[in-house]
Amino acid sequence: MRPYAIGMIREFFTGVRILGRGFGMWRTRPKLLALGLIPAVIAFLLLAGALIPLGLTLGSITDWATPFADAWVSPWQELLRFSLGAVILVAALALSGAVFTALTLTIGDPFYQRIWRGIERSLGGPEPTGDTGLLTTIGEGIRLVVLGILVALLTLVIGFIPVVGGVLASVIGVILSGRLVARELTGRAFDARGLTAYSRSALLRSGRARVIGFGVATQLCFLIPFGAIITMPAAVAGSTILARS
């Protein structure tokens, strides 16, 4: 394996470990991270209110979308509709991480401001004093949701590739949505340091594998039942460490 590839893999797992350090804050700073639970629960319930009906009606949706398969013999009809349902679900889950992050950060902005600043102080060094207001958070949240919709649509299209579509859509969906989530979570630390959108993008590109490792690990934790609630405060803490790194 080439040194470049080895370095990228190493950086990817560095990003995963940074999220692990964020989870470690539950042990060292439990009261601080607990501030983020209430907005995470609210956002989780709102998102579940959309995803659960989708899951319950998935069969009807796939039947409606594939009337041409009504006359197909078994098992081809069932296989087509199962595959379509799986692709729709993967796309919905890819979008859900972005929507959950945007909702949670917007609803719980004062709480996550305290978490972020508390982690900054605990890490030492000069604390950034720039403004990271609610309007900025709302604007970034809207941007995140729009990009999340585009990722979900791309995932949906990839899912229709024969044979490998389902697996490929799952992998690409997690990677792209994870990167979006990581970019959003590091926003406070970058904004407080007065970095422009161009500078932020340049920094994220320079540590692309590390950012993706952090984002993918976060996204996968979000997919665990109720995992998003515990993960969100840890991800905010970890993203502060990620931004500083």
Side-chain angles (χ1 to χ4, degrees), residues 69-114:
D70 288 342
W72 288 16
V73 297
S74 183
W76 303 114
Q77 182 193 87
E78 292 82 358
L79 184 61
L80 172 69
R81 288 173 172 170
F82 175 81
S83 300
L84 177 60
V87 168
I88 292 173
L89 190 59
V90 166
L93 291 175
L95 176 60
S96 67
V99 174
F100 174 78
T101 301
L103 272 176
T104 307
L105 292 179
T106 301
I107 294 170
D109 183 66
F111 301 102
Y112 292 113
Q113 290 280 3
R114 290 183 62 182

Side-chain angles (χ1 to χ4, degrees), residues 146-206:
V146 170
L147 291 175
I149 292 171
L150 294 178
V151 168
L153 291 174
L154 177 62
T155 301
L156 194 61
V157 171
I158 293 173
F160 289 107
I161 297 175
V163 184
V164 298
V167 174
L168 196 60
S170 299
V171 173
I172 291 177
V174 168
I175 291 175
L176 292 181
S177 57
R179 189 182 186 282
L180 289 178
V181 167
R183 190 188 192 284
E184 178 69 13
L185 288 170
T186 54
R188 283 176 171 77
F190 287 150
D191 288 341
R193 288 169 169 81
L195 295 176
T196 63
Y198 178 81
S199 298
R200 285 173 57 178
S201 297
L203 277 173
L204 292 171
R205 281 195 304 270
S206 68

Side-chain angles (χ1 to χ4, degrees), residues 193-240:
R193 288 169 169 81
L195 295 176
T196 63
Y198 178 81
S199 298
R200 285 173 57 178
S201 297
L203 277 173
L204 292 171
R205 281 195 304 270
S206 68
R208 183 180 288 110
R210 184 178 302 190
V211 171
I212 290 175
F214 176 86
V216 166
T218 302
Q219 181 75 351
L220 290 176
C221 288
F222 282 174
L223 297 179
I224 299 170
F226 303 103
I229 296 171
I230 301 298
T231 300
M232 192 62 190
V236 171
S239 68
T240 306

